[in-house]
Amino acid sequence: SIAVDEELMETPGFSIDQLMELAGLSVASAVAEAYPLPQGRRVLIVCGPGNNGGDGLVAARHLYHFGYEPTVVYPKRPQKQLFVNLVTQCEQLGIPVLSEMPSSF
């Protein structure tokens, strides 16, 4: 996966922001196809501290716009501005971004 990212970012390539948007939209679309509304409205997304975590945050945002009710668990948040912005976008939409797993879901 790192080699694919590097290849896609070569000049003139995609930025990491663009790759996250594409990956997150792809994940959200796959979820929507596998679990069409109205069934399965609630979605739990667990994000790690790397770029895949950023993909998860983007997926949560898209799922929200598709009509789902995502909740994000994001225990190790990097301080890079890109990730801070993605968390802020989710929070501004009212998507819960938690530091630990919820006791019930």
Side-chain angles (χ1 to χ4, degrees), residues 19-72:
L19 292 176
M20 282 185 188
E21 282 297 324
L22 291 170
L25 178 58
S26 295
V27 167
S29 297
V31 169
E33 184 177 323
Y35 302 97
L37 294 175
Q39 70 181 25
R41 183 172 298 277
R42 293 178 5 155
V43 181
L44 181 65
I45 301 169
V46 180
C47 296
N51 291 345
N52 287 340
D55 300 345
L57 293 165
V58 172
R61 191 181 72 237
H62 285 294
L63 286 166
Y64 172 85
H65 288 299
F66 291 173
Y68 291 83
E69 298 172 4
T71 296
V72 175

Side-chain angles (χ1 to χ4, degrees), residues 64 70 89-97:
Y64 172 85
Q89 291 168 8
C90 287
E91 291 174 337
Q92 287 177 342
L93 291 171
I95 299 170
V97 181

